[in-house]
Amino acid sequence: MDITFRIRRYNPEAGGKAKPYWQEFELKDVEPTNRVLEMLHRVKWEQDGTLSFRRSCSSGICGSDAMRINGRNMLACKVLVRDVVTGAKNTIQVEPILGLPVLKDLIVDMEPFFAHYREVMPYFINNDPVPANGRERLQSQEDRDIFDDTTNCILCAACTTSCPSFWANGKYVGPAAIVQAHRFIFDSRDQGWKDRLAVLSEPNGVWRCRTIYNCTPACPRHIEVTRAIGEVKLAIQRGKREGIIDPATIPSKFHG
Amino acid sequence: MLLELRKNSNFVCRKVVTVSSLVTTLTETLRYKGAIGQWSWVLHRITGLGVLFFFILHIIDTSWSVFYPELYEKAIAIYQTPLFTLGEFVLVACVVYHAFNGLRIGVLDYNPRWWRFQQRAAVWVLVATVVLLIPVFLLMLGHVIKYYGSNPTVLPLSEVLAEQLPFVIGIGAGIVAAFIFAVFAGLILGNKEKAVVGGISKGSKLERFWWSYMRMSGLLIIPLVFGHLAVMHVVQGVFDLTVAGTSIPGVTATVTQLGAGEYLGNAINDTGTAVEFVGERWNYLVLSVAIWRFYDFALLFLAGVHGFNGLRYVLTDYTAKSVLLRRTATYACIIGAVVVIGVGGAALAGTITNTSVKMAEKARIALVGEIQSHGGDEQEEATNESATEETSTESTDN
Ligand code: HEM
Ligand code: HEM
Ligand code: SF4
Ligand code: FES
């Protein structure tokens, strides 16, 4: 099939291109099962070498190629052409994710996003001496399952940049950081959970979430993002982490 | 220990930016293809702000029934014009949608694991809104047709708009005051806000409270505001407020015989003035408790605080870039809540006397020429001697 890319371009260094603009590229002999990322490569390699975007693994693991495809945030490397083409010209519209400064074409500055990530202390905290046998701190399977879903995050920022609260207010910590905090808050071995809850109950923490649910479908890892945010809110409200997550409904069991 | 570590660490970067301008935020909200939840949120926000805007005018207006009876008659005459009639339908729709959607948000917030049902729930909110609005609109339309069919004297649009000017000025003054406070606060507290969440943090108990308050108050407002609207729109219309001889909803006669120059206490709107309508309701005692005053106060307080905190949410979302503007927004909301609840509360604590009703009657006649009266047998019994006399003398005065 033939497809048309409609790409949001921006190059602050090139004369006359300092303002963002739309550019169209036509591609022939595209397999419906090709991935959007591969086709962006073809544009870059065959038609316009200046087209800039990030990618690394090309297989949905590194989280570097989140972009807004046909109006929705996705990973270009996970999306098949046939699933996103629209109209008679088989158009695919691609633009950078929203709410982070655009550096060039589809590349945004991720630093503000990672700043929020660091705010929630996304690392394991346990001040007890290591077990006598020098091995890992044990945990029951049930305790592990509770936070299984949020361990899947690859920090692609698709969720955070799909959130109207974040677009309006870059100080909002955003879904991804809350997901990352959730992963540690509900880990029974972790001892920093109260500090994380304190950070997240700041005015620009979880309370900026309006339960809009844009983040959940944006997540390429199918993490139940809004749910995780809701559980963190309840943990703050109740001042405890036990009994917030209903083990019977945790996603790892859902997916089998 | 841990917080110490964070304090001393260069690890925490504070580079956080709001890139989008207000305009891009708004236009991109419309361009992003989120699912139904995004549109529910847009509607929830618009309806909440719409209801709050009406609420501000409404409370100030209603307070005049105590403080300036003549002005209250004018305000109600203004409500009885096509612009406000249209607005009334929009208002009722806004209240119903906002209430149902607010319920959905609350239920899902307290049960995050039910997220799978949110899209369906959002659709059901729309369906329930429409289903409830159909009979309500039909009933309201009945009142509307009856009223405009009776060839009433309707105030011209220019006058209706001119009368809103004081509100515009008042709201403007509130914003200017908030801005001045914000400038002073800036001088004292500095214009730096903690750049991001976190840093050294104990968390905000206040925001935690507001989150619960928005949901709990919403739950309590539902029966109160639906009951209030049922009285004002369904059982009767806004137009029936000023029909002489109508019986007043929600009250029973506590006085058997009215003396000369007395109107209040017989549960009938003898003069056909809005002031008497309110007076009958607010003076009505059950076991010496003015139940409608308590009812109205509960609604005033809950909705006032809920609405202005909602406004604060909206305004602080869109003023993230500037500490000065964010403070202005917050102070404006506090000023608004204090003024509206203060004025409304003072009115609820005030008295409406037979003299107020008399003044109102004069004003009403000056506005519309002749007060409409309730046709039919009911009126014969209802209208008491002295009231009819008063009405006729006033008419000749005119
Ligand atoms: C067009 C629709 C409405 C009409 C015609 C209307 C009419 C009235 C009237 C006649 C009163 C006088 C007191 C009484 O009789 O109980 C009143 C009071 C009041 N109404 Fe409404 N109402 C409307 C909508 C609303 C809405 C949507 C709200 C809440 C958001 C509301 C909140 C109140 C409050 C709080 C009071 C007490 C006022 C005070 O403290 O001075 N009303 N309303
Ligand atoms: C009828 C019952 C009501 C319910 C169940 C309800 C529920 C809610 C809920 C759950 C929120 C979301 C708060 C948050 O995101 O943290 C909200 C926001 C809001 N409400 Fe209400 N509410 C009701 C009545 C009212 C009334 C009477 C007003 C106006 C006086 C109002 C004005 C607002 C505003 C301005 C917002 C902010 C919207 C936003 O943040 O996008 N609400 N309401
Ligand atoms: S939660 Fe999902 S969408 Fe958000 S950053 Fe992690 S992987 Fe990306
Ligand atoms: S390129 Fe690594 S996730 Fe897409």
Side-chain angles (χ1 to χ4, degrees):
Chain A
M1 73 199 282
D2 299 343
I3 65 167
T4 307
F5 262 119
R6 189 163 179 267
I7 300 177
R8 190 76 171 159
R9 304 289 309 267
Y10 169 66
N11 183 354
E13 285 158 4
K17 309 220 157 151
K19 273 179 93 174
Y21 60 99
W22 290 102
Q23 187 174 6
E24 294 201 350
F25 299 94
E26 279 166 25
L27 286 178
K28 296 201 182 312
D29 305 320
V30 175
E31 292 295 327
T33 52
N34 280 149
R35 278 151 214 281
V36 173
L37 180 68
E38 297 169 47
M39 295 307 103
L40 284 172
H41 275 144
R42 270 188 59 192
V43 172
K44 185 175 175 72
W45 294 334
E46 296 167 12
Q47 299 188 24
D48 184 348
T50 67
L51 179 66
S52 308
F53 50 91
R54 274 200 195 96
R55 69 105 178 85
S56 178
C57 68
S58 305
S59 52
I61 291 164
C62 69
S64 51
D65 61 340
M67 35 189 100
R68 179 149 51 136
I69 300 174
N70 286 356
R72 261 181 225 125
N73 287 356
M74 314 178 181
L75 288 183
C77 64
K78 279 195 84 174
V79 183
L80 304 188
V81 167
R82 67 161 184 225
D83 292 333
V84 285
V85 286
T86 55
K89 286 165 76 191
N90 290 330
T91 308
I92 302 176
Q93 179 176 296
V94 185
E95 35 191 327
I97 47 181
L98 183 66
L100 296 167
V102 181
L103 298 177
K104 191 180 176 194
D105 293 343
L106 303 173
I107 299 180
V108 297
D109 180 359
M110 294 286 278
E111 182 45 33
F113 173 80
F114 286 119
H116 285 313
Y117 172 54
R118 289 190 291 266
E119 284 295 326
V120 302
M121 300 179 272
Y123 36 81
F124 184 71
I125 296 168
N126 187 321
N127 297 319
D128 294 343
V130 285
N133 62 7
R135 310 224 5 213
E136 71 270 36
R137 298 171 200 270
L138 293 178
Q139 178 175 48
S140 71
Q141 187 60 45
E142 288 71 34
D143 284 348
R144 175 64 179 71
D145 285 345
I146 288 276
F147 64 94
D148 186 64
D149 195 37
T150 44
T151 63
N152 290 317
C153 176
I154 56 175
L155 290 168
C156 66
C159 55
T160 294
T161 58
S162 75
C163 174
S165 292
F166 183 75
W167 301 334
N169 171 12
K171 290 173 184 160
Y172 169 40
V173 65
I178 302 172
V179 162
Q180 289 287 342
H182 181 281
R183 181 254 170 270
F184 292 102
I185 289 167
F186 292 99
D187 182 339
S188 60
R189 302 161 300 180
D190 183 86
Q191 295 174 341
W193 62 280
K194 279 197 171 148
D195 294 327
R196 284 194 202 89
L197 290 183
V199 169
L200 288 174
S201 67
E202 289 274 298
N204 284 316
V206 284
W207 311 126
R208 287 274 157 201
C209 165
R210 305 260 165 268
T211 330
I212 300 167
Y213 288 103
N214 264 9
C215 52
T216 303
C219 179
R221 306 281 297 164
H222 305 295
I223 296 170
E224 301 180 352
V225 183
T226 317
R227 173 181 179 175
I229 298 172
E231 288 164 349
V232 172
K233 285 179 189 162
L234 290 183
I236 296 173
Q237 286 292 344
R238 297 177 192 166
K240 65 186 180 91
R241 57 178 174 173
E242 293 78 27
I244 306 279
I245 303 177
D246 176 2
T249 63
I250 54 178
S252 58
K253 299 216 169 136
F254 255 99
H255 301 313
Chain B
M1 188 273 336
L2 220 156
L3 294 174
E4 275 313 296
L5 191 123
R6 283 162 59 72
K7 186 159 55 181
N8 301 329
S9 144
N10 297 324
F11 182 65
V12 177
C13 164
R14 288 174 192 286
K15 180 184 163 197
V16 169
V17 287
T18 301
V19 227
S20 326
S21 68
L22 180 55
V23 176
T24 21
T25 305
L26 296 180
T27 53
E28 291 305 306
T29 300
L30 302 178
R31 278 191 69 239
Y32 190 86
K33 292 216 174 70
I36 186 169
Q38 181 180 328
W39 305 110
S40 301
W41 165 73
V42 171
L43 268 183
H44 194 77
R45 196 152 255 204
I46 293 172
T47 54
L49 293 177
V51 176
L52 177 65
F53 183 68
F54 166 81
F55 181 80
I56 297 171
L57 303 191
H58 179 52
I59 300 306
I60 306 290
D61 277 350
T62 306
S63 76
W64 295 341
S65 65
V66 173
F67 305 129
Y68 309 102
E70 293 103 331
L71 274 184
Y72 188 55
E73 286 313 314
K74 180 141 200 197
I76 293 299
I78 285 170
Y79 276 58
Q80 297 166 336
T81 60
L83 181 70
F84 274 79
T85 300
L86 192 72
E88 216 184 301
F89 281 84
V90 176
L91 172 76
V92 170
C94 283
V95 172
V96 172
Y97 179 81
H98 188 91
F100 287 169
N101 194 53
L103 213 54
R104 176 187 75 105
I105 296 174
V107 167
L108 286 161
D109 273 335
Y110 284 107
N111 299 280
R113 66 182 184 284
W114 290 350
W115 68 274
R116 268 165 229 278
F117 306 111
Q118 70 91 6
Q119 297 217 5
R120 243 173 295 164
V123 174
W124 278 111
V125 163
L126 281 173
V127 172
T129 303
V130 171
V131 166
L132 180 60
L133 283 181
I134 289 173
V136 168
F137 275 11
L138 286 177
L139 284 166
M140 286 170 64
L141 212 58
H143 296 302
V144 170
I145 292 170
K146 193 167 137 230
Y147 176 71
Y148 288 101
S150 70
N151 258 327
T153 316
V154 174
L155 298 188
L157 183 63
S158 55
E159 195 172 346
V160 170
L161 292 177
E163 288 295 321
Q164 307 311 313
L165 201 64
F167 288 104
V168 177
I169 295 171
I171 293 171
I175 295 171
V176 170
F179 183 76
I180 293 171
F181 281 134
V183 170
F184 276 112
L187 293 177
I188 297 162
L189 306 169
N191 268 333
K192 271 220 183 92
E193 199 185 31
K194 245 186 282 171
V196 248
V197 308
I200 313 309
S201 164
K202 290 201 177 69
S204 167
K205 290 240 162 49
L206 200 59
E207 291 300 328
R208 195 175 91 184
F209 165 78
W210 283 124
W211 188 82
S212 304
Y213 177 84
M214 290 306 272
R215 284 143 188 83
M216 296 305 170
S217 63
L219 210 58
L220 295 172
I221 295 170
I222 291 180
L224 290 174
V225 75
F226 279 24
H228 188 72
L229 289 179
V231 169
M232 303 305 164
H233 288 297
V234 185
V235 180
Q236 298 199 328
V238 193
F239 312 109
D240 299 315
L241 254 60
T242 53
V243 178
T246 331
S247 51
I248 311 274
V251 303
T252 54
T254 47
V255 173
T256 39
Q257 193 65 48
L258 291 178
E262 285 182 3
Y263 314 92
L264 296 167
N266 64 345
I268 304 285
N269 193 343
D270 308 290
T271 54
T273 58
V275 171
E276 186 176 352
F277 179 94
V278 179
E280 288 280 3
R281 280 170 57 80
W282 282 2
N283 289 0
Y284 179 56
L285 303 180
V286 176
L287 302 173
S288 48
V289 174
I291 50 164
W292 290 114
R293 288 187 196 236
F294 274 96
Y295 185 105
D296 284 359
F297 186 74
L299 183 57
L300 172 71
F301 188 83
L302 290 168
V305 175
H306 176 107
F308 278 103
N309 187 52
L311 179 66
R312 182 184 66 99
Y313 281 167
V314 177
L315 294 179
T316 52
D317 264 357
Y318 297 126
T319 48
K321 281 184 186 177
S322 151
V323 176
L324 181 66
L325 290 184
R326 237 185 187 185
R327 280 205 186 113
T328 304
T330 307
Y331 296 160
C333 293
I334 296 172
I335 293 173
V338 169
V339 168
V340 169
I341 295 174
V343 170
L348 282 167
T351 44
I352 295 180
T353 59
N354 287 309
T355 322
S356 329
V357 176
K358 188 90 191 122
M359 284 158 76
E361 190 183 29
K362 260 194 199 145
R364 177 82 197 160
I365 289 165
L367 279 169
V368 298
E370 196 187 340
I371 294 182
Q372 259 193 321
S373 83
H374 197 295
D377 323 331
E378 215 184 309
Q379 187 211 353
E380 298 297 326
E381 295 171 56
T383 319
N384 97 342
E385 278 295 290
S386 63
T388 340
E389 249 169 55
E390 298 296 351
T391 316
S392 45
T393 33
E394 292 308 330
S395 315
T396 39
D397 280 356
N398 215 38

